Amino acid sequence: MDKLIGIIGVAMCVILCGIGSAIGLYKTGSAAAGVLGENPKKYGKVLLLVLLPATQGIYGFIIGIIAQGHIAEGWELFGKVLPMALSGLVTGILQGQSAVNCIYAAGKQDSLGMKLVVYPAMIEFYAILGLIVSIMLVA
């Protein structure tokens, strides 16, 4: 039974981080499509903003790889991957929304461009904290 709980924990981490990234990317991709529909030359200015929420899915995948050797720990492993699972879900969604607003701003004013990356990148900090805590607990 413990092994099953460990598998569920790792799977939830990967899945929740993936969901957070997918929702964030859906939002940023949709916003970018609107901006680029009006001015295709803005592609370079919005590309990084569009891609920022993808990192949470990558972080969840990394934890999944690291944690696979500890499946037998069961509930203990479940708790160890929880920081990444929850922070990846929440920050992926919120980072996406923040980046959407920055994409719209970059679409309206060229001079803002890369200056806007700092706002959704601040949310990334909390995903990184979840990653580090889960790595420290698992490894």
Side-chain angles (χ1 to χ4, degrees), residues 22-37 46 49-50 96 99-100 103-104:
I23 292 170
L25 289 168
Y26 165 74
K27 291 179 178 187
T28 58
S30 298
V35 168
L36 296 175
V46 301
L49 290 165
V50 170
V100 162
I103 289 167
Y104 290 146

Side-chain angles (χ1 to χ4, degrees), residues 62-137:
I62 289 169
I63 293 300
I65 291 170
I66 293 170
Q68 73 178 348
H70 303 272
I71 296 294
E73 294 177 15
W75 281 109
E76 187 177 342
L77 180 61
F78 190 94
K80 290 177 179 181
V81 300
L82 205 53
M84 186 66 253
L86 296 177
S87 67
L89 173 66
V90 173
T91 61
I93 294 168
L94 295 178
Q95 188 177 53
Q97 187 58 53
S98 175
V100 162
N101 296 324
C102 294
I103 289 167
Y104 290 146
K108 290 181 180 182
Q109 192 168 6
D110 273 343
S111 63
L112 293 174
M114 295 306 288
K115 295 176 188 174
L116 295 168
V117 171
V118 71
Y119 301 113
M122 287 189 284
I123 298 169
E124 182 80 17
F125 174 72
Y126 293 96
I128 293 170
L129 286 180
L131 174 67
I132 291 170
V133 168
S134 285
I135 287 174
M136 287 184 340
L137 292 172

Side-chain angles (χ1 to χ4, degrees), residues 28-53:
T28 58
S30 298
V35 168
L36 296 175
E38 292 181 19
N39 187 351
K41 294 180 181 178
K42 304 263 183 184
Y43 179 78
K45 296 200 184 287
V46 301
L47 180 62
L48 181 58
L49 290 165
V50 170
L51 295 175
L52 276 174

